[in-house]
Amino acid sequence: MRGTIRAVLGAVLVASWASTAGAQGIILPGAGPINRSMAGASTAAPIELGGTYWNPALLSAFESNQVLLGSELLIPSTHFTGTLPAGAINGTFPPNDRYGVSRSDSGVASNLATGVSFKLREDSPTTLGLLVAGFVGGNVNYAGSFSTPLLTPRVPPDFAGVGPIYGNASMLAITPMISTRIGDRLHVGGGPIISTLSLAMDPAFFAPGPRDEFGLVTFPSATHSRPFWGGGFQFGLLYEVNDSWNVGFSYKSPIWQERWSFNSSTPDLVGRRIGVDADIPQIFSWGVAYKGIDRLLVDVDLRYFDYQNAALFGQRVVDGGLGWDSIFAVASGASYQLSDRLTLRGGYSYNENPIRDNTTLFNVQLPGILQHNLSLGASLKVTENVTFTAGWVHSFRNSSEGQVTQVPGATAKFDTQLDSILAGINIEWGTRCPECHRHHVDHGHGSGAGAEPASN
């Protein structure tokens, strides 16, 4: 019984993060309404500030100074399904087959993306920037249930569940950046990544406590904590091959986290300190953009998320980790300037599932299984310098199911989907330097993409 409960709790940890992450395991796929409307495809497309989420080298390719004010509402739908056949535990419990489905009361979450980029002088090849955006996040809130196995109350011999399960996580990434143009076509950029994470879980599967009077293992709560800080770095390259093609590359290091520690207690309320070590994985991104058709820009990105070598996520299940695999993701996005004021955008992304089938039950609380994502959006140029963007992202429902190895015949399944509503404003001012004007194609920052080449 102890192994069964612990397996399910470990799984429920995964659902809390990915119910709003949208894709790519726990990592949000983009920042700001323009970048998100193109499915996060931006490694080689210097359209606007949100694109620096994936490549800081884009900064020095911008046509002007920029301010981004972006918001996002995330609406997840996540379910947990449990089955427990008669006699699964010690050949006697439960007396009858049990089956139930519970929906997470996750509500509507919010995310932001805001930042600024600017040159210290018009003729400078160097651009400074700052982007503040959500990086990972989500929540799960399963009510206790008499019908869903493992969410039932603890009243042996009739019930031996863990009751309601809650988890909430939110990480903000603060990324100061600097980028410079080298020669006519090469841009190089980078900077530190500073993260702050708020995290709460109840119960805390990673810190089993003493057994109760029925001989069943107990678990404390992990709710009394402070924000957890972390840090890493990133760098990127952008090369303008010619007036029709760009290529880009970027690297995000692991975000090394301080230990996630909580002030908890034993069942008799004696104080107890619990914690777990975890890191956010390193990410490699490659991109190619085509801008050879008037008013059109197309970008395709390939990314690699190294979950397998990240603390907690890559650790084996038997060692207390989640047992995730490293994965690849592909994002493709397009922007078409329909008129001088209106630009349409769309994108599609796909990523592999990092959760192995044989460890499904250890990942219900972080179901990073969303794989197919469709993005749509439009930008309206309100004034010469102000552009309003709205969009919508749908992450198609996906599910994962596995057996509880400690209880032959018992299974657990989770499924999730996500809809996001995007809105924001991009503000531009100033002009690019004369040297930039001679060598760069107008990418339509903020309001469009793929415009005609600038005149000499």
Side-chain angles (χ1 to χ4, degrees), residues 76-99:
S77 174
T78 304
H79 301 83
F80 173 79
T81 303
T83 64
L84 192 63
I89 302 173
N90 297 327
T92 59
F93 177 82
N96 302 301
D97 291 345
R98 290 183 175 171
Y99 168 89

Side-chain angles (χ1 to χ4, degrees), residues 43 48 87 130 142 243 255 306 386:
T43 305
E48 50 84 42
L130 173 69
Y142 290 109
D243 288 348
I255 299 181
D306 192 19
V386 178

Side-chain angles (χ1 to χ4, degrees), residues 141-210:
N141 186 17
Y142 290 109
S145 169
F146 280 95
S147 60
T148 304
L150 306 169
L151 297 181
T152 59
R154 181 169 294 188
V155 188
D158 296 324
F159 299 99
V162 298
I165 296 175
Y166 169 80
N168 196 322
S170 177
M171 176 180 282
L172 197 67
I174 305 167
T175 55
M177 296 170 284
I178 184 170
S179 175
T180 189
R181 187 184 72 256
I182 301 175
D184 292 344
R185 299 185 180 276
L186 178 63
H187 304 263
V188 179
I193 302 173
I194 303 165
S195 71
T196 176
L197 168 71
S198 296
L199 177 67
M201 291 172 287
D202 185 18
F205 81 97
F206 57 84

